[in-house]
Amino acid sequence: MSTDTRPRPGGGPAAGSPVLTVDRLNVVYRVEPEVRAVRDVSLTLHRGEILGLAGESGCGKTTLAYAVNRLHRPPAEVVSGAVTFHDRDGTDIDLLALDREELRRFRWAKLSMVFQGAMNALNPVISVRAQLEDVLTTHEPRMRRRARRARCAEVLELVGVDPARMDGFPHEFSGGMRQRVMIAMALLLEPQVVLMDEPTTALDVVVQRGILDEVLRLRDEMGYAVVLITHDLPLLLELSDRIAVMLDGEVVEYAAAEEVYRRPAHAYTRRLLGSFPSLTGDRGAFVRSGAPADPSADPAPGGHDDHA
Ligand SMILES: Nc1ncnc2c1ncn2[C@@H]1O[C@H](COP(=O)(O)OP(=O)(O)OP(=O)(O)O)[C@@H](O)[C@H]1O
Ligand SMILES: [Mg+2]
């Protein structure tokens, strides 16, 4: 696990301050009968923080992530609540009020998302480079060709993909490599928040580990905050600073990862913890490699030299 003891640079001058606030958000699917998929959810994501979002299938994790990024489509509808992005320069952005053009400029640049099943979302007939460059062209139309290419190579290298392969097509990459490409795409414009919906679920444990360690290492370098969604509670406990557990659309538990592990407040969380044999042993043996929200409190995460 953690062997690296470098001091953590943190997420810039405002590390630890809120970057995204979700306030009493309600999302429904207007179907018969109506589904209240997200109920009164309030969460605060801090700069540089890893917020783990757990809960059984159908509890509303993806719906929440989509609504936060304004990607929800009918029959989904945000009925009440607020989502505020606290930009690096001090401006507060009311995400639910952005018009199409403002949203287009906001997404990927300030907040990006790695979608559930994303590694299958790359277009099979377009080269990896062209798909990455497309994001750059949309957001930075004045960027010169050579600079675009260089940025794509740079970000691929960051996530552990050999840039020499960028003219290849998605089917020439393994699942792990395709997922790394998707993460590269999410990091291309150096967003302040990355939503990751089951980013590694389809991959084997070793590949998954390598990718998530990379995400953590880059978090230390780039200072982005992550909302990490997965069913894998042991993994979340280890990687997250704080954890929110959802049940039927509601956040029923929201606390520091260690707190959730040692003193789960909600019966559902206790059941969830109990369903992972690896967690039911000695509770004193809790070890995390993820760094806490307070950058001064603990050494950095590390041990990330295995590449998928
Ligand atoms: N298009 C839709 N129309 C109606 N109901 C939907 C639709 N999409 C999702 N739902 C319902 O909304 C609820 C939340 O679904 P969501 O996909 O957000 O859950 P999830 O926590 O991401 O699940 P998983 O872990 O399986 O990905 C579920 O009850 C689901 O059946
Ligand atoms: Mg989902």
Side-chain angles (χ1 to χ4, degrees):
M1 228 171 272
S2 184
T3 49
D4 189 342
T5 52
R6 286 170 305 158
R8 224 185 128 213
S17 62
V19 60
L20 185 75
T21 312
V22 178
D23 187 24
R24 286 164 291 167
L25 190 70
N26 283 281
V27 186
V28 300
Y29 287 95
R30 298 277 190 214
V31 290
E32 206 42 65
E34 191 169 275
V35 179
R36 290 187 62 199
V38 172
R39 308 178 188 218
D40 270 329
V41 166
S42 296
L43 295 168
T44 304
L45 180 70
H46 297 90
R47 287 191 179 278
E49 174 181 49
I50 310 279
L51 173 62
L53 188 56
E56 67 200 10
S57 190
C59 71
K61 304 179 298 293
T62 298
T63 306
L64 173 62
Y66 269 60
V68 162
N69 202 6
R70 286 277 303 280
L71 284 165
H72 61 287
R73 296 283 171 268
E77 191 185 313
V78 172
V79 287
S80 61
V83 182
T84 312
F85 184 87
H86 312 285
D87 207 348
R88 204 176 266 139
D89 66 8
T91 342
D92 279 352
I93 303 175
D94 176 357
L95 291 196
L96 300 183
L98 295 184
D99 65 27
R100 272 173 74 102
E101 176 56 24
E102 288 166 334
L103 258 183
R104 192 189 63 75
R105 274 182 276 137
F106 177 83
R107 279 198 209 118
W108 297 101
K110 296 191 190 291
L111 179 147
S112 66
M113 182 154 172
V114 177
F115 297 95
Q116 196 164 4
M119 63 191 212
N120 301 315
L122 287 164
N123 189 324
V125 297
I126 300 178
S127 75
V128 162
R129 176 165 68 87
Q131 294 188 60
L132 288 173
E133 285 195 4
D134 196 43
V135 175
L136 285 177
T137 314
T138 310
H139 284 268
E140 297 183 31
R142 280 194 299 272
M143 198 171 190
R144 306 293 287 268
R145 235 189 107 160
R146 180 176 294 189
R148 271 206 310 268
R149 198 191 164 90
R151 176 62 189 153
C152 291
E154 180 183 42
V155 79
L156 282 172
E157 188 140 35
L158 279 179
V159 300
V161 177
D162 180 1
R165 297 185 60 194
M166 73 182 175
D167 283 307
F169 291 87
H171 71 265
E172 296 165 339
F173 290 71
S174 67
M177 281 298 164
R178 285 204 303 274
Q179 195 60 315
R180 285 175 188 268
V181 169
M182 293 310 292
I183 293 170
M185 197 180 280
L187 299 181
L188 203 51
L189 298 169
E190 303 197 25
Q192 296 163 59
V193 174
V194 188
L195 309 177
M196 296 194 171
D197 194 356
E198 304 277 6
T200 56
T201 309
L203 305 168
D204 70 62
V205 196
V206 176
V207 172
Q208 163 170 313
R209 190 74 229 189
I211 292 179
L212 290 175
D213 282 340
E214 215 72 64
V215 167
L216 284 181
R217 182 180 65 78
L218 292 173
R219 181 275 305 261
D220 290 348
E221 268 171 37
M222 296 165 72
Y224 52 72
V226 179
V227 178
L228 179 62
I229 300 175
T230 165
H231 291 101
D232 191 337
L233 193 57
L235 189 75
L236 269 195
L237 284 166
E238 193 193 322
L239 300 180
S240 310
D241 299 308
R242 285 192 300 159
I243 290 188
V245 178
M246 284 180 81
L247 174 64
D248 289 340
E250 281 183 280
V251 170
V252 294
E253 180 102 34
Y254 182 37
E258 185 155 351
E259 193 66 19
V260 170
Y261 179 71
R262 289 190 195 284
R263 283 176 289 276
H266 198 277
Y268 173 69
T269 313
R270 287 194 287 276
R271 274 211 311 283
L272 203 59
L273 287 165
S275 66
F276 291 95
S278 61
L279 293 175
T280 49
D282 177 13
R283 300 225 148 183
F286 181 88
V287 184
R288 289 175 55 228
S289 73
D294 174 5
S296 63
D298 217 39
H304 37 65
D305 42 11
D306 53 324
H307 277 202

